[in-house]
Amino acid sequence: MTLTLQQLNQADVAEATQLLDGIYEHSPWIAAAAMAARPLRSLAHLKHALAQVVNTANASAQLDLIRAHPELAGKAMVSNTLTAESTHEQSKAGLTQCTPEEFARIQQLNADYNQRFGFPFILAVRGPRGTGLGKQEIIDTFARRLFNHPDFERAEALRNIHRIAEIRLNDKFGFEPALGNDVWDWQERLAQHTDPGYAELGQLTVTYLTDAHRACAQRISHWMRDCGFDEVEIDAVGNVVGRYRPAQEGGKYLLTGSHYDTVRNGGKYDGRLGIFVPMACVRELHRQNKRLPFGIEVVAFAEEEGQRYKATFLGSGALIGDFKSEWLDQHDTDGITMREAMQHAGLCIDDIPKLKRDAAHYLGFIEVHIEQGPVLNELDIPLGVVTSINGGQRYVCEMIGMASHAGTTPMDRRRDAANAVAELALYVEQRAAQDGDSVATIGQLHVPNGSINVVPGRCLFSLDMRAPTDPQRDALVKDVLGKLEEIAQRRGLHFKAEQAMSAAAAPSDPAWQKRWENAVDALGVPLFRMPSGAGHDAMKIHEIMPQAMLFVRGLNSGISHNPLESTTSDDMQLAVDAFTHVLHQLDA
Ligand SMILES: [Zn+2]
């Protein structure tokens, strides 16, 4: 019999705890304490309330919870003494049918892990889609997590326990994140297309206008038609544009979307999530035979990552009339110009200026994107409302001192270029941290022709500084460049600093941000606001119309631009629900 929220809300604490028996392994205290959060507004609310009890419990209670779990493919599995839930999960992941070699490998990992951390390895073996991870994936994850810092690993174990609980709750409530599953599956299927050289390695790389890229455009356009979009086209730069018409002709459109190109060896969700979430919403409208007073235009942007050519945001740039004709003459590493690539793809270069959108025909722009950072994952919060896309500046710099003998030059007579940059690096770290939400990085630091016995005479380095507002960014840049000058002067060195990039911050439009906030709140999950550290298509569209973004939590510390990028179909379902809620708000 499936459980309902109403039952939980009406039961006394002892009954409710009994109803949630088995969700957290051998730990009824969690369900009991979570009942203080009643009335429960949604299943997502219940999941979060339970996770909060664990996350705010003391360290020894957390450890007891972790230790209450059986080892993977361990003694309990062999002797059939697992809880019913654990047996189900381990068999779904195929762990009950290990080869002797696999079994031996897992036993060794169990022993190494236990010795390092003092608790059993916990992995939600039913995985982000709920259907079960492969054995190899389990073994790889196990091996990888052995290298984590112990504090981090304990938190990661708890996050896996929350995920296990989430899936157990879904089973208990008879809930299936059906739309989230579809979104997850679309991404999985799109990831089958990958550039040559990467396909062989099982890696995902889709760069502008390659065969794989054009195959992705075809797939997306077919799916859009299947979903019931009225018009679908691949435009002059390769964007896939789907339009679902408004109830009455002449109605404005809501613009949304994200990119389908990827970085080299990237993840499956970066960009694509923001295409498939609104696609699922349009399909639901079409299924219900429903028209809204406004239309929905979903754009799968052809290019955002700047991998094949140095033309980042090419897809969204074209929509605001920011396509630079000199880009057409850029060569890729094989010597193919962008113009040739576009002609080969059958794109009508002459039509690019026509792609520019008239903001008067649109309500605004919204974009869903995977967070690409660790914040939501660490807080156990599924969705984040973006307050601003950080503005940034980049500099390419050189510190010039005097190369001299490492043995004969006394410490007080040196002109060490690398040490000067090291001093700056520590300042950069401290100065950015002082703002709370600024970030600054020296990502490149190089002593050209350096030797083990020579004091560095030159040091090449980079500066990347970002902040949610332009004044905050400008103040950060001013302080860092000021410090650079002060360090160089005091140490008797000189420097060059050349600006390589400057992008304005794109604060969310308050009314549109509020719509996302209303949507998140309506789902019963905590409202969390955050700036975006990464650039997104929304920052381009920002130049012509109001915009606001929604972030979805990533797994594995939110890692992105990496094959480990991942998120669950439950979180994708919440994103679909939030998007649907925004549509309802606009309808009302
Ligand atoms: Zn992206």
Side-chain angles (χ1 to χ4, degrees):
M1 212 188 73
T2 56
L3 184 60
T4 64
L5 280 178
Q6 198 188 7
Q7 274 176 289
L8 271 187
N9 281 330
Q10 287 170 353
D12 66 37
V13 173
E15 279 165 6
T17 305
Q18 188 53 42
L19 289 170
L20 292 172
D21 182 46
I23 298 298
Y24 279 83
E25 198 93 350
H26 303 300
S27 306
W29 58 273
I30 298 167
M35 290 308 105
R38 292 185 296 179
L40 299 161
R41 299 165 59 203
S42 63
L43 183 54
H45 182 199
L46 169 61
K47 290 170 181 175
H48 186 259
L50 289 162
Q52 274 305 97
V53 170
V54 175
N55 297 344
T56 54
N58 62 43
S60 80
Q62 292 178 347
L63 264 180
D64 287 346
L65 170 64
I66 296 172
R67 291 188 178 128
H69 287 75
E71 285 188 332
L72 280 186
K75 285 192 212 85
M77 190 189 87
V78 176
S79 64
N80 273 324
T81 53
L82 294 176
T83 60
E85 290 84 358
S86 285
T87 307
H88 177 56
E89 287 148 10
Q90 298 213 15
S91 73
K92 245 192 158 155
L95 289 172
T96 46
Q97 282 163 1
C98 286
T99 64
E101 293 76 27
E102 287 166 344
F103 191 71
R105 173 85 171 118
I106 295 176
Q107 294 316 303
Q108 186 58 50
L109 285 165
N110 272 326
D112 294 347
Y113 186 96
N114 229 310
Q115 193 188 4
R116 173 152 156 77
F117 299 112
F119 50 80
F121 173 69
I122 314 276
L123 176 64
V125 291
R126 281 180 62 186
R129 172 67 163 78
T131 42
L133 297 172
K135 272 182 284 187
Q136 195 53 49
E137 212 175 344
I138 291 171
I139 291 170
D140 291 348
T141 307
F142 209 152
R144 192 178 70 243
R145 278 174 47 188
L146 261 178
F147 293 99
N148 282 341
H149 185 279
D151 292 343
F152 176 83
E153 186 51 26
R154 199 176 60 190
E156 189 68 7
L158 292 175
R159 283 191 284 271
N160 275 276
I161 288 172
H162 297 323
R163 174 63 185 157
I164 292 168
E166 169 158 69
I167 295 173
R168 290 177 179 179
L169 281 167
N170 288 352
D171 290 348
K172 206 166 205 121
F173 279 78
F175 169 76
E176 199 195 335
L179 300 178
N181 286 344
D182 288 343
V183 171
W184 206 94
D185 293 345
W186 278 323
Q187 287 162 123
E188 196 64 22
R189 283 160 69 191
L190 200 66
Q192 291 165 0
H193 302 286
T194 177
D195 287 352
Y198 298 90
E200 295 81 342
L201 301 169
Q203 297 178 353
L204 177 63
T205 301
V206 178
T207 58
Y208 190 49
L209 294 182
T210 59
D211 284 354
H213 185 271
R214 286 178 291 128
C216 286
Q218 284 300 326
R219 278 249 175 158
I220 295 168
S221 66
H222 285 291
W223 288 334
M224 281 183 172
R225 276 190 206 99
D226 287 347
C227 286
F229 283 82
D230 301 297
E231 301 150 45
V232 180
E233 61 158 343
I234 297 176
D235 74 14
V237 296
N239 296 327
V240 188
V241 183
R243 285 190 198 86
Y244 188 69
R245 289 195 201 110
Q248 247 122 57
E249 214 181 314
K252 289 190 181 188
Y253 274 76
L254 169 68
L255 189 62
T256 183
S258 193
H259 59 99
Y260 66 91
D261 69 323
T262 75
V263 295
R264 296 194 168 83
N265 195 18
K268 297 170 184 169
Y269 311 99
D270 176 2
R272 293 148 178 225
L273 183 64
I275 300 165
F276 296 136
V277 165
M279 203 167 96
C281 295
V282 167
R283 189 183 59 182
E284 290 314 292
L285 288 172
H286 177 70
R287 278 176 175 168
Q288 295 155 21
N289 219 344
K290 194 171 170 185
R291 296 276 168 186
L292 299 170
F294 53 91
I296 303 171
E297 181 173 320
V298 181
V299 184
F301 294 111
E303 203 288 333
E304 190 258 10
E305 302 282 10
Q307 299 283 301
R308 185 172 176 189
Y309 299 101
K310 280 187 200 134
T312 345
F313 300 107
L314 183 154
S316 46
L319 265 61
I320 65 164
D322 184 20
F323 183 91
K324 297 183 177 61
S325 54
E326 59 263 31
W327 287 344
L328 293 167
D329 299 317
Q330 287 185 355
H331 293 81
D332 70 2
T333 50
D334 295 325
I336 300 167
T337 64
M338 187 188 289
R339 186 192 313 277
E340 287 162 348
M342 292 175 103
Q343 281 164 347
H344 179 69
L347 302 181
C348 299
I349 296 171
D350 294 344
D351 286 347
I352 294 173
K354 294 184 201 157
L355 301 183
K356 187 175 174 189
R357 299 298 196 268
D358 179 352
H361 297 156
Y362 292 92
L363 299 172
F365 179 79
I366 54 178
E367 180 176 357
V368 176
H369 204 284
I370 190 165
E371 181 204 337
Q372 301 186 281
V375 176
L376 294 172
N377 187 239
E378 207 173 282
L379 293 168
D380 282 306
I381 293 180
L383 302 173
V385 177
V386 176
T387 52
S388 177
I389 303 168
N390 284 353
Q393 279 192 1
R394 289 183 188 156
Y395 288 82
V396 178
C397 312
E398 180 177 359
M399 186 70 81
I400 303 144
M402 176 63 76
S404 60
H405 197 293
T408 61
T409 318
M411 293 311 287
D412 60 353
R413 320 268 168 85
R414 295 182 177 212
R415 301 278 178 264
D416 186 327
N419 277 350
V421 180
E423 187 183 342
L424 181 71
L426 292 177
Y427 174 78
V428 163
E429 183 177 56
Q430 168 256 315
R431 174 60 185 79
Q434 180 190 308
D435 288 344
D437 51 6
S438 293
V439 288
T441 307
I442 295 184
Q444 295 170 320
L445 200 150
H446 174 55
V447 177
N449 303 315
S451 294
I452 196 165
N453 57 356
V454 177
V455 175
R458 277 172 76 211
C459 184
L460 307 177
F461 65 103
S462 60
L463 280 168
D464 176 304
M465 295 165 277
R466 309 183 196 207
T469 67
D470 288 341
Q472 185 176 325
R473 175 204 63 183
D474 293 344
L476 172 68
V477 170
K478 182 167 173 280
D479 285 357
V480 169
L481 294 182
K483 188 70 177 178
L484 172 59
E485 187 155 0
E486 187 262 310
I487 292 170
Q489 214 159 54
R490 169 160 44 79
R491 289 173 171 263
L493 313 171
H494 52 277
F495 70 92
K496 294 175 194 163
E498 190 190 320
Q499 195 183 88
M501 189 276 274
S502 181
S508 301
D509 177 83
W512 285 94
Q513 183 184 324
K514 183 75 182 132
R515 290 186 184 106
W516 281 128
E517 292 177 5
N518 294 340
V520 169
D521 184 58
L523 297 179
V525 295
L527 172 57
F528 185 76
R529 301 178 184 93
M530 61 191 298
S532 169
H536 294 291
D537 291 302
M539 71 195 282
K540 274 284 167 193
I541 306 295
H542 178 85
E543 293 178 34
I544 60 165
M545 64 179 84
Q547 60 79 27
M549 292 186 71
L550 180 74
F551 275 169
V552 179
R553 154 174 67 181
L555 300 176
N556 301 318
S557 299
I559 194 166
S560 187
H561 288 184
N562 185 301
L564 289 175
E565 179 187 87
S566 185
T567 180
T568 65
S569 59
D570 284 272
D571 286 358
M572 291 180 193
Q573 176 73 45
L574 289 173
V576 172
D577 293 343
F579 200 102
T580 305
H581 196 276
V582 169
L583 295 179
H584 288 158
Q585 291 177 60
L586 294 168
D587 188 14

